[in-house]
Amino acid sequence: GYLRIDALLASVLETKNYFRRQAHPFTDFYYNLVSVGDQGRTAVFVIVFANGSSAKGPRSFGVVLRLDLFTQHYDEIEWVQHASRAVPSFLRHWCNKLALNQRLREQRIGPFCIGAHPDQQKSQNWPIPESEANFDPHEDANVDLEVWAKFVESANLTGAKITEYPKKLSFCSLYRDCDMITNRAVTAAKPVSHLDCRDGATTLVYG
């Protein structure tokens, strides 16, 4: 079998009165697979979509879902909305940031290493800068309570746009069992000469 995200989203929206009254509840949508658990049975997705209604209201919405791939039962972890933006470029960027924050919350990394249990924390969409490196020499700082408590306290007090962060968070901290290989080199039109394995001596060399 296979999973259709548009059908999943339509099923979710059918349970909401706000969307059920609309002929076309969503137009553009984007999604990210955040994580897989229970030996491959459950998956967490972030889905964002443009509001299909022309009436007044938020222009876009996002939802974090935990889906049982066997039974198709899902839990709605969190809903978010944006009042004024719904263009595709924004939706794509927003979806990526929400997915990053959800993974930070699951792993209790960065600002999510403090406070309540992750399931009780709002994502807040922290715009944390990330690194695609396969090795992080300062990985312990990702869960340093003192470092991140000061950061969160300062951000909450000022309420201003955050411009400084304790550190970049590496993808290898988010997905510890994976070697991170991204398409940034491809989209930047830069040739890839080699790929290194994070936990071994293997190197793939091209050319």
Side-chain angles (χ1 to χ4, degrees), residues 56-68:
K56 291 182 178 180
R59 298 314 306 143
S60 55
F61 295 88
V63 60
V64 183
L65 299 173
R66 181 179 290 109
L67 175 69
D68 187 314

Side-chain angles (χ1 to χ4, degrees), residues 9-158:
L9 178 58
S11 176
V12 172
L13 299 187
E14 285 177 359
T15 67
K16 311 297 179 185
N17 289 332
Y18 177 83
F19 298 106
R20 196 159 44 198
R21 296 192 297 266
Q22 301 176 21
H24 304 286
F26 66 93
T27 52
D28 294 319
F29 75 94
Y30 293 86
Y31 73 94
N32 268 306
L33 171 62
V34 179
S35 59
V36 176
D38 301 318
Q39 297 183 328
R41 175 164 183 160
T42 61
V44 174
F45 294 91
V46 168
I47 310 174
V48 304
F49 58 96
N51 188 356
S53 172
S54 59
K56 291 182 178 180
R59 298 314 306 143
S60 55
F61 295 88
V63 60
V64 183
L65 299 173
R66 181 179 290 109
L67 175 69
D68 187 314
L69 298 173
F70 292 177
T71 67
Q72 300 295 294
H73 173 78
Y74 61 83
D75 296 315
E76 300 169 18
I77 298 174
E78 185 177 10
W79 279 87
V80 293
Q81 62 186 40
H82 197 281
S84 59
R85 303 187 66 183
V87 297
S89 58
F90 165 75
L91 291 176
R92 188 184 304 111
H93 177 75
W94 192 34
C95 186
N96 289 339
K97 286 300 181 184
L98 290 174
L100 173 62
N101 273 256
Q102 174 59 28
R103 186 58 178 172
L104 292 175
R105 180 165 56 177
E106 291 178 353
Q107 296 297 100
R108 304 205 70 168
I109 290 175
F112 296 101
C113 71
I114 62 175
H117 188 273
D119 286 345
Q120 298 172 337
Q121 288 181 291
K122 296 293 183 182
S123 68
Q124 296 191 51
N125 197 22
W126 294 104
I128 304 295
E130 71 275 5
S131 165
E132 294 183 351
N134 251 342
F135 175 70
D136 185 353
H138 308 292
E139 190 169 1
D140 289 345
N142 292 344
V143 292
D144 189 314
L145 295 177
E146 183 177 356
V147 168
W148 290 101
K150 289 180 179 179
F151 167 75
V152 171
E153 182 181 7
S154 176
N156 290 337
L157 285 176
T158 61

